[in-house]
Amino acid sequence: MRRGEHRKGIAAAAAIIGTTALAWAGWALHATGTGAKSVEHAVNVVSAAVGLVVGLASFVASWLGYRADRRQHASGLPLSGIVDEFAVAVRAQWEAEARTRRLNDPYPLPVSWAPAEPAYRPDADASALSGTDADITDVFDRVPGGRLVILGAPGAGKTILLVRLLLGLVERRAPGLPVPVIFPLASWDPSRQDLADWLADRLTADHPALALPAPGQDQGAPPVSRARTLLNRRLVLPLLDGLDELPRHLRAAALDAVNQALPPGHPVVLTSRLAEYDAVLTPVSGVPAHLNGAAAITLRPLHPSEAAAYLVRDAGGRGSPSAARWQPVLDQLADEGVPVGQVLRTPLMLFLARTIYNPRPGAGPLAPGPAPSLPDPVILLGFEDPAALRTHLFDAFVPAAYRDVPPERAAQAEDALTLLAGHLDHDLGGAVDIEWWRLSALAPKAALRRRAAAVMWLWFVLITLACAAYVYIHRLTEDALFTNGMAVSILLPFIFLLKGTHFQDSWQSLLQSTLLTLALEFGVARLLAATIRFRPRRAPVTAMAWTWRWRAVAFGTGSGLAVGIPIGNVYGWFGGVVWGFGTGIVLWALSGWGVVPADLSTAVRAAALLEQDRRVFWRFVWVISAAGAALGTLLGMVPGFLRALTFPAPHNTLDSVYLLFPAGIGLGVALLFSPALALVVAFSRTAWGEAALTRLYLARRRNGLRLPGDLMAFIADAHEHRGVLRQIGPVYQFRHIDLQRHLANCTPAPGR
């Protein structure tokens, strides 16, 4: 059901229910005579009509939401259409990422390879495996079974080659065929999670719509997600990136798990550093592990002439003054006995060098000064140790990426990147994904709950001070019954202290009551915050939808009994039944609201997910607060109605103290506690609130470092304009794992 149809259905249902209730109430009142019994009958009819309207409207709205949710699932694309749309999304994602990483600027850096040694491919032939650059797609097509291992030194271009393979395969893909997807292995723990489960979780994290049930499932059968269905039907070609990024003791188990889940005949591509893969093949003890049925290629170092041509072209072309700066370095590139000749032979080191010494047009110098000048790459010749040269390139990379901003902002950026790298290495055990919904690991849960309690208490303070100001100004006048009820409800239980001290003439007594009330509310805020479920999240939420839950039914039933029985004991069975039923239906409808993933056709980006999650957070707050205010007012009014019936006129009129004063009390209690309870629900069901509390915590320095106020803008800038981060779906990663580890080692692990 589309959104417009859903709204029309709700409007039509509301019109029918309202018209029916008004017609019934009008007929009943028209048939009512005069006298006390008649007035009592009329009030009963109106009360019942109001209760039924509330209850039935909530039920119909919930049912329509449930039907809309089911129809949305039922009217989805067939599986072939889902695969094709998924391929379009994957292609757009990686084409944009290739532009951001400048893989084609100034031209694609040539990456060549040769067949690996026979020990790395015991089950495959080495024929026709050599190639360069875009040949990787042709080579993959020639590999029997589509099983390939890409090996190389650190920074040799394994991920670059994997991106080119993905784009080439998607370009040649026919409708309905498998979609290549890159999976960074660093986020997988094979000792805790099956490969198929991890692949499905990764797909739904990067593409949330794949979490929806797949079409064509049998009625009554357990729902299977689109991601799981695509994997089961081999419509996803896994490109597993970075076996070496797993902990050493897990690599052999990971290869065994891949062989079990993806046996020969199931295409798969695996990348790894050569030394780490060799250690798995030749363990000190135990049985060697390798990818069964796979061919293997080894990336070659860049030829000195290729590296030189690339640096010259990137600096402006041969003959330009900016390119002439590189000549002393180029003269030594062919000498493998010097650090420059050893280090500047991989795409990663060339990328770092070009970023540091070939500023983009419009970027300022590395060292600000009155006379801008280009940094001189001859500095690279001053290092006698290759490790020292690599460290220099990593150290200078981040300042060079932020050379066009003021020094204070550049220093803050380096602090933030160092903190994020330490967060991945120390808090998340060497993870590579920067996920804003998991940054709460940077803050202790107790600190988050204290800040949540502070937010709730600020609301309590606002309402309490407003009521105290009202009491001080208006002195609880006799003609303001409704607002008096609100003030009394919020300042209880200490408002009665004012009566005994003649509060009309004593602002000190009012101050004492207010302070005691605020102290009590502080304890309530801490108690409510302690119930918030701060927990690790796989993904943020993107929308709200009503679904049937038996727990919600039980909650609504219990709440209805808890309200209906006391009211029935005091005001009779009629009031108890009406308001017990109404309360139960309303709370059941509210508690049935949950969260759903995003639409498949929507581009999944971290900033968009954060905005969607933020909107869901505030929708929970507004919906629950509004429902609580309405329910509190009605629960206050109806007992007043029923009690007013026991008194003669004029005490049983609409402006009676027995009606307005209880209504004010009900609204006051609801205004005080409904938003606080709504915050508890919103913090527990969404990720944005938890992330916001974490940012509040990180406003103070942690290990001498802190994150910027607008974290998402900073991360997006580091990815789109600085080249420090890369993006895979809704998550970010450092440009290279070695860069992450280098920055993480710049700060000690947190001592918490």
Side-chain angles (χ1 to χ4, degrees):
M1 179 182 288
R2 294 188 295 270
R3 181 176 296 180
E5 296 175 353
H6 189 196
R7 290 177 176 174
K8 290 178 181 178
I10 292 178
I16 293 173
I17 292 173
T19 302
T20 303
L22 289 176
W24 173 43
W27 172 81
L29 291 176
H30 178 73
T32 300
T34 59
K37 293 293 185 181
S38 299
V39 173
E40 178 181 352
H41 175 68
V43 172
N44 287 342
V45 168
V46 172
S47 300
V50 172
L52 289 176
V53 167
V54 173
L56 291 177
S58 301
F59 177 81
V60 171
S62 303
W63 176 253
L64 287 174
Y66 172 75
R67 293 297 299 167
D69 183 62
R70 300 310 301 169
R71 291 182 185 180
Q72 179 184 2
H73 293 174
S75 62
L77 293 170
L79 191 61
S80 59
I82 293 173
V83 173
D84 292 339
E85 285 212 10
F86 180 44
V88 172
V90 169
R91 177 178 181 175
Q93 169 191 348
W94 285 103
E95 285 180 343
E97 189 63 18
R99 289 192 298 269
T100 301
R101 298 190 192 187
R102 298 170 60 192
L103 298 185
N104 301 317
D105 178 22
Y107 56 82
L109 188 63
V111 178
S112 60
W113 58 88
E117 296 295 328
Y120 300 107
R121 45 177 178 79
D123 302 329
D125 187 10
S127 60
L129 289 184
S130 298
T132 301
D133 241 10
D135 296 342
I136 185 62
T137 308
D138 295 326
V139 169
F140 180 77
D141 289 339
R142 293 195 295 266
V143 172
R147 297 170 71 83
L148 180 65
V149 177
I150 301 175
L151 304 172
K158 299 181 291 296
T159 301
I160 292 176
L161 195 62
L162 207 61
V163 173
R164 290 174 181 167
L165 174 61
L166 180 145
L167 293 176
L169 292 175
V170 172
E171 180 70 25
R172 301 183 183 186
R173 176 187 174 274
L177 292 184
V179 180
V181 181
I182 294 178
F183 296 92
L185 284 173
S187 59
W188 175 39
D189 185 350
S191 66
R192 296 184 178 181
Q193 191 173 27
D194 178 75
L195 177 65
D197 293 337
W198 175 74
L199 293 175
D201 289 346
R202 189 77 203 195
L203 284 174
T204 55
D206 295 349
H207 306 274
L210 295 182
L212 294 174
Q217 300 186 41
D218 296 334
Q219 290 287 344
V224 180
S225 68
R226 295 174 174 179
R228 177 68 73 171
T229 302
L230 293 180
L231 291 168
N232 291 342
R233 300 193 182 183
R234 297 190 177 184
L235 292 174
V236 172
L237 170 56
L239 308 180
L240 307 178
D241 188 22
L243 177 70
D244 54 277
E245 295 178 8
L246 288 172
R248 180 179 304 176
H249 66 284
L250 293 179
R251 293 169 191 160
L255 270 179
D256 183 65
V258 172
N259 288 327
Q260 295 296 325
L262 308 174
H266 195 307
V268 61
V269 179
L270 175 72
T271 71
S272 176
R273 292 184 181 183
L274 185 60
E276 282 76 357
Y277 196 77
D278 183 70
V280 177
L281 285 176
T282 58
V284 177
S285 62
V287 179
H290 57 82
L291 186 62
N292 294 336
I297 59 175
T298 303
L299 301 188
R300 294 169 172 167
L302 293 171
H303 193 274
S305 61
E306 295 173 338
Y310 190 79
L311 290 172
V312 169
R313 177 64 183 84
D314 186 68
R318 192 167 298 279
S320 64
S322 58
R325 299 173 300 124
W326 284 95
Q327 195 57 49
V329 176
L330 303 183
D331 292 339
Q332 298 194 30
L333 277 182
D335 186 356
E336 295 186 5
V338 298
V340 167
Q342 299 176 39
V343 173
L344 297 184
R345 299 287 298 277
T346 65
L348 173 62
M349 293 297 117
L350 283 182
F351 167 76
L352 297 178
R354 69 182 283 203
T355 303
I356 297 168
Y357 296 102
N358 288 343
R360 296 298 89 195
L366 187 62
S373 59
L374 293 174
D376 193 349
V378 76
I379 298 174
L380 300 176
L381 301 177
F383 295 91
E384 299 181 356
D385 179 37
L389 178 55
R390 292 189 184 94
T391 300
H392 161 72
L393 291 174
F394 281 125
D395 286 339
F397 170 61
V398 173
Y402 289 89
R403 56 163 46 95
D404 59 338
V405 301
E408 315 82 55
R409 184 181 166 193
Q412 184 188 41
E414 190 167 5
D415 282 356
L417 292 169
T418 302
L419 179 58
L420 289 173
H423 162 64
L424 296 175
D425 265 30
H426 304 319
D427 295 319
L428 300 183
V432 297
D433 293 338
I434 302 173
E435 301 163 317
W436 63 262
W437 55 91
R438 297 189 68 189
L439 288 178
S440 60
L442 286 166
K445 295 295 183 289
L448 296 181
R449 290 192 173 94
R450 286 196 298 270
R451 281 154 181 79
V455 172
M456 297 179 198
W457 190 62
L458 285 177
W459 172 254
F460 290 159
V461 169
L462 177 65
I463 295 296
T464 302
L465 292 182
C467 288
Y470 170 82
V471 171
Y472 180 75
I473 295 173
H474 296 284
R475 304 292 193 268
L476 293 182
T477 56
E478 296 296 334
D479 58 343
L481 299 173
F482 185 74
T483 49
N484 285 351
M486 290 178 56
V488 167
S489 67
I490 292 174
L491 290 176
L492 280 176
F494 303 108
I495 190 70
F496 296 107
L497 294 177
L498 305 178
K499 290 287 187 179
T501 56
H502 305 288
F503 69 91
Q504 293 87 347
D505 302 318
S506 176
W507 64 268
Q508 292 94 340
S509 297
L510 178 60
L511 178 62
Q512 180 185 15
S513 274
T514 303
L515 293 178
L516 289 173
T517 302
L518 292 177
L520 177 65
E521 291 168 346
F522 180 77
V524 172
R526 291 297 298 267
L527 182 62
L528 290 174
T531 66
I532 298 176
R533 297 174 59 194
F534 291 125
R535 61 193 186 279
R537 303 178 188 276
R538 294 181 179 177
V541 301
T542 55
M544 291 177 62
W546 196 92
T547 55
W548 177 277
R549 293 188 180 95
W550 282 109
R551 295 174 65 180
V553 174
F555 175 70
T557 304
S559 301
L561 291 174
V563 171
I565 291 175
I567 290 182
N569 289 335
V570 177
Y571 300 106
W573 68 269
F574 184 81
V577 169
V578 169
W579 289 104
F581 176 76
T583 301
I585 290 293
V586 169
L587 295 182
W588 168 55
L590 289 176
S591 59
W593 283 98
V595 294
V596 294
D599 186 7
L600 182 63
S601 60
T602 303
V604 179
R605 290 294 181 265
L609 288 178
L610 184 140
E611 178 61 23
Q612 291 171 340
D613 196 282
R614 183 189 64 82
R615 286 200 298 265
V616 174
F617 178 92
W618 289 113
R619 283 173 186 167
F620 272 120
V621 172
W622 296 126
V623 168
I624 296 176
S625 298
L631 185 61
T633 303
L634 291 174
L635 286 176
M637 288 177 63
V638 170
F641 260 122
L642 299 176
R643 187 177 183 185
L645 298 178
T646 62
F647 294 90
H651 299 291
N652 56 5
T653 60
L654 291 179
D655 58 352
S656 168
V657 65
Y658 301 107
L659 175 62
L660 294 181
F661 192 75
I665 290 179
L667 180 59
V669 172
L671 283 178
L672 187 64
F673 291 106
S674 291
L677 294 173
L679 286 172
V680 171
V681 174
F683 279 127
S684 298
R685 294 193 181 183
T686 68
W688 177 83
E690 190 172 344
L693 295 178
T694 303
R695 290 197 298 273
L696 287 175
Y697 173 80
L698 292 175
R700 300 183 304 168
R701 288 184 177 269
R702 179 179 188 255
N703 295 326
L705 307 172
R706 62 182 172 187
L707 293 178
D710 193 343
L711 178 62
M712 295 311 303
F714 168 77
I715 290 178
D717 176 70
H719 166 244
E720 296 171 6
H721 303 118
R722 312 295 170 183
V724 181
L725 303 178
R726 61 188 182 188
Q727 186 175 21
I728 300 179
V731 304
Y732 291 89
Q733 299 174 350
F734 280 90
R735 177 79 181 225
H736 196 274
I737 187 64
D738 287 343
L739 174 63
Q740 173 185 320
R741 291 169 180 166
H742 175 80
L743 291 173
N745 290 332
C746 294
T747 181
R752 294 192 281 106

